Amino acid sequence: MAKSILICDDAAFMRMMIKDILVKNGYTIAGEAENGLKAVEKYAETQPDLVLMDITMPEMDGIQALKKIKESDPNASIVMCSAMGQQAMVIESIQSGARDFIVKPFQPERVLEAVQKAVG
């Protein structure tokens, strides 16, 4: 069965880019969220196999959303995405339970590698 993925990014074109890469490679899109609050809600609704989560988003940032999702589901697989290669954020994401980290602009190979690593 195709793995379902929830895409969380405040930029619609980023969600579209990621969706395009994933769909072309046989993944199912569980849903999309434009901020951390929506990401937490959508996760509860859809129970995806994986979440691709942007760090910098309005309402609730990706790291807060990651922590909230992990609270409700310790087994959640989440890969963080960010344009800023900020060491502190990468470290905080990983310490908070993220499986991996992808830097924008996205390289399709890197997105797929992170997804495959996270969901097997």
Side-chain angles (χ1 to χ4, degrees), residues 67-88:
K67 290 176 180 171
K68 280 253 183 269
I69 291 170
K70 284 298 224 178
E71 264 170 39
S72 68
D73 180 3
N75 299 317
S77 279
I78 303 171
V79 172
M80 303 304 283
C81 313
S82 180
M84 304 161 296
Q86 290 176 323
Q87 212 53 42

Side-chain angles (χ1 to χ4, degrees), residues 86-114:
Q86 290 176 323
Q87 212 53 42
M89 286 188 156
V90 176
I91 292 164
E92 188 179 351
S93 299
I94 301 297
Q95 285 171 342
S96 300
R99 291 285 178 93
D100 203 346
F101 196 92
I102 312 170
V103 179
K104 298 174 184 175
F106 297 119
Q107 306 295 317
E109 312 74 55
R110 180 66 189 105
V111 172
L112 292 170
E113 177 194 320

